[in-house]
Amino acid sequence: MNVFEAVRENGITARQAAEHCGIKINRNGMAVCPFHKDKNPSMKIDRRYYCFGCGEKGDAIDFVAKFYGLGKKDAAVQIAAAFGISFDDNGGRKPPPIRKRKLSPEQRFERVEKKCFRVLSNYLCRLREWQEQYAPHKAEEEWHPLFCEALEKKDYIEYLLDVLLYAPLSERVELVTDYGEEVLKIERRLEQCTEGTAGGTGKNYEQDGAGGTAGNMV
Ligand SMILES: [Zn+2]
């Protein structure tokens, strides 16, 4: 429903519109005409308005348009706003269908490659943090699982990132094809870690990690 239909449908009268514009309407439904130098109330206002002095006439939208010097559409929008009327701003036309952008194979690869790179870089950052943060302080101390994971995976992830950064396209395609699944696992693993470390303790990791994918990464 466009704004004109909406205003009409809601039965907004010229009288309501005029009152909204601050026009005083007397008991006989007459008002001093705002459109000419009127001394006595010579405008009859009800559903529509008509001025016996200057001949102005119309409906609610016409009144507001003339009163504020607006176009009819703007006047209708103003009335809709003033009276809390909702409308479809598209003028009743159906919105154009949203076309799905088709990606070329190259674009799709680029997208997946970027994602791989992002996930692997994040993971490498994490591994480096863990290697420092959970490094054992005493020789006999049992190694923290995150520290073990860091030792185990860091070089390997660095290698994958090197391939993505420097290898020719064919090798990168191969890597993305072969390791796509694994990167998804790493992504889930990182999400788990984020949830797990939100509690801030290694205990959380052990709980989350038990069902996790750290074991079958390589
Ligand atoms: Zn008049």
Side-chain angles (χ1 to χ4, degrees):
M1 203 190 294
N2 69 33
V3 68
F4 295 107
E5 290 163 342
V7 169
R8 219 173 296 139
E9 189 93 339
N10 277 271
I12 301 301
T13 62
R15 187 186 175 109
Q16 284 172 294
E19 279 174 338
H20 184 74
C21 294
I23 303 294
K24 295 268 181 288
I25 299 165
N26 70 19
R27 271 188 295 176
N28 301 322
M30 299 294 292
V32 173
C33 174
F35 305 134
H36 81 279
K37 282 189 177 165
D38 199 11
K39 283 183 189 125
N40 305 302
S42 40
M43 182 182 269
K44 176 82 182 159
I45 308 187
D46 192 4
R47 204 170 57 78
R48 297 172 62 82
Y49 66 94
Y50 176 75
C51 176
F52 293 96
C54 67
E56 279 293 337
K57 62 183 179 197
D59 61 13
I61 294 171
D62 295 319
F63 190 94
V64 171
K66 177 92 181 165
F67 191 81
Y68 289 112
L70 298 171
K72 283 202 181 193
K73 171 106 193 259
D74 289 339
V77 169
Q78 180 148 335
I79 292 173
F83 291 91
I85 297 166
S86 60
F87 61 92
D88 167 13
D89 202 18
N90 224 1
R93 273 173 283 118
K94 273 190 185 165
I98 297 162
R99 266 195 222 127
K100 268 198 179 166
R101 203 160 53 99
K102 268 206 169 162
L103 296 178
S104 68
E106 289 81 11
Q107 286 172 316
R108 229 176 306 154
F109 170 72
E110 207 175 290
R111 203 180 255 201
V112 176
E113 189 188 28
K114 270 187 190 155
K115 181 177 176 173
C116 282
F117 190 80
R118 183 166 42 84
V119 170
L120 292 174
S121 321
N122 286 343
Y123 188 43
L124 184 62
C125 274
R126 276 308 179 86
L127 293 174
R128 283 178 176 154
E129 281 170 20
W130 293 341
Q131 193 176 8
E132 265 189 36
Q133 194 177 342
Y134 296 106
H137 300 297
K138 284 168 274 175
E140 66 277 16
E141 192 179 325
E142 201 184 320
W143 285 5
H144 193 284
L146 290 178
F147 180 72
C148 296
E149 187 175 339
L151 287 191
E152 198 185 326
K153 298 285 160 50
K154 216 182 67 174
D155 291 347
Y156 166 65
I157 298 298
E158 269 169 2
Y159 158 75
L160 293 180
L161 282 168
D162 271 355
V163 174
L164 284 180
L165 272 179
Y166 303 113
L169 182 65
S170 62
E171 274 180 54
R172 276 151 46 209
V173 171
E174 216 170 280
L175 183 142
V176 167
T177 314
D178 291 351
Y179 293 90
E181 277 284 302
E182 192 174 321
V183 168
L184 288 181
K185 280 184 192 167
I186 293 176
E187 194 183 25
R188 283 198 294 273
R189 166 91 182 90
L190 284 172
E191 279 163 12
Q192 277 181 348
C193 290
T194 315
E195 287 161 19
T197 50
T201 67
K203 231 180 176 178
N204 280 337
Y205 160 74
E206 274 163 17
Q207 282 162 359
D208 290 333
T213 52
N216 48 29
M217 200 92 85
V218 183

